Amino acid sequence: MALLRSAFIAASQNHLMRRFGERSSVGRKLSSRFVAGMEIEDALRVAEAVNRQGMSVTLDSLGESVTSETEAHQSAEIYHRLLDAIAERKLNSNVSVKLTQMGLELSPDLAGKIAESLTQHAHATNSFVRIDMEGSQFTQVTLDIVRRLHAQPALRGSIGIVIQAYLYRSQSDIEQLLAEGIRVRLCKGAYKEPAEIAFPRKADVDSNYVRLSCLLVDSPIYHGLATHDEAMIEAAKSFATQHKIDPSRFEFQMLFGVRRDLQRKLVREGYNVRVYIPFGREWYPYFMRRLAERPANVLFILKNLVRS
Ligand code: FDA
């Protein structure tokens, strides 16, 4: 299983496979399991439908690691359009942004300025920008940018971050973020990291996830617990019940197309659920990371392809 996971993560970084996949019609069809569509309008339509089912949404315009300043600004433009559309259509939605898509590898200053203008826009339209967390080479700079923007009184509360439970450093990062009042999305972590900085054993990642989720649920700030793992979800629910923490004080987050049954069950039980909806033509690395998380998805997707 670990071998398959590594193979899919390696495939997610393969440029040739990516070019072929993203351009082929079969590739697009395959990706539709986890991706809302290629255009903004597709994402907005899915967001409306998810809202109608009683869940909030976060929209992700797919793409990472741009290679020019122009591309970074083009990526940002899509998010500005999204924020306007969210406000116009009164969607219960925010946006999730990757800093490498905003030029982080070219210049942290460029990515920081773009994130600042998106956060200003989100603040003006009563929305919120979640900065996704990428590979560990970007952890510190991502934290620095989010903390700097959150420290601006005019942007306070309009930007949040993601913390990955597989990193050893995450508990101390969370303690600092909580002290500063920054909203956190906790996930297990989707990249391949060395044992020097990340728990190699899944059981240790899971224990750390439970430990960190208790810290978040117990804090007065509104956080998100991103997972499809029922054991993680049950642990958070029972911690909240034991400590008389109202379900309205935090939310569960799940990916579009993953465990829809569980999403609906949580809504019925009265929990807040947010669905992460990715869209766009650059779906390949995202799609491969989803296969890495659950290689059995390959069979599932192929079966559906044959059926349709
Ligand atoms: P785990 O992988 O242990 O899976 C538990 C169970 O959930 C599985 O047995 C299966 O039933 C189900 N499941 C999990 N993944 C599935 C899939 N792809 N298809 C079908 N079933 C699946 N990561 C990151 O590094 N940076 C980030 O910013 C984010 N952002 C983010 C947002 C949201 C809303 C979510 C839900 C996840 C992320 N992630 C992320 C990804 C995260 O780090 C992690 O890789 C996945 O959520 C899978 O981990 P689980 O917690 O679901 O548990």
Side-chain angles (χ1 to χ4, degrees), residues 77-88:
E77 192 43 41
I78 297 178
Y79 276 100
H80 283 297
R81 284 168 53 200
L82 275 179
L83 286 166
D84 283 335
I86 289 169
E88 271 160 29

Side-chain angles (χ1 to χ4, degrees), residues 38-58:
M38 299 296 134
E39 310 300 334
I40 286 190
E41 200 49 48
D42 298 322
L44 296 171
R45 206 180 40 246
V46 173
E48 264 161 8
V50 172
N51 278 175
R52 276 198 299 274
Q53 292 167 28
M55 295 178 276
S56 58
V57 159
T58 185

Side-chain angles (χ1 to χ4, degrees), residues 250-263:
F250 61 95
E251 67 185 23
F252 291 110
Q253 300 186 352
M254 292 188 213
L255 302 177
F256 172 71
V258 179
R259 294 300 313 264
R260 280 178 274 214
D261 56 331
L262 186 54
Q263 297 173 12

Side-chain angles (χ1 to χ4, degrees), residues 121-138:
H121 192 163
H123 182 81
T125 54
N126 216 4
S127 190
F128 175 80
V129 175
R130 173 79 61 187
I131 303 294
D132 282 347
M133 190 58 86
E134 303 179 66
S136 58
Q137 68 273 40
F138 304 115

Side-chain angles (χ1 to χ4, degrees), residues 72-184:
H73 285 294
Q74 283 166 350
S75 306
E77 192 43 41
I78 297 178
Y79 276 100
H80 283 297
R81 284 168 53 200
L82 275 179
L83 286 166
D84 283 335
I86 289 169
E88 271 160 29
R89 301 185 192 200
K90 299 189 173 48
L91 294 177
N92 185 354
S93 175
N94 59 39
V95 292
S96 286
V97 175
K98 284 191 174 50
L99 288 182
T100 60
Q101 199 188 2
M102 303 301 141
L104 184 62
E105 284 167 292
L106 302 170
S107 141
D109 197 41
L110 169 67
K113 287 210 172 87
I114 290 181
E116 182 170 6
S117 82
L118 287 173
T119 312
Q120 282 164 347
H121 192 163
H123 182 81
T125 54
N126 216 4
S127 190
F128 175 80
V129 175
R130 173 79 61 187
I131 303 294
D132 282 347
M133 190 58 86
E134 303 179 66
S136 58
Q137 68 273 40
F138 304 115
T139 309
Q140 190 57 50
V141 65
T142 302
L143 280 157
D144 291 344
I145 290 174
V146 171
R147 292 177 55 222
R148 184 168 56 73
L149 295 181
H150 178 85
Q152 293 183 25
L155 301 183
R156 200 179 160 78
S158 299
I159 186 166
I161 197 161
V162 179
I163 292 293
Q164 298 152 325
Y166 62 19
L167 294 183
Y168 302 138
R169 60 178 289 168
S170 288
Q171 177 155 353
S172 87
D173 286 336
I174 283 190
E175 282 162 2
Q176 187 170 23
L177 292 162
L178 291 184
E180 293 172 30
I182 298 179
R183 282 169 63 176
V184 173

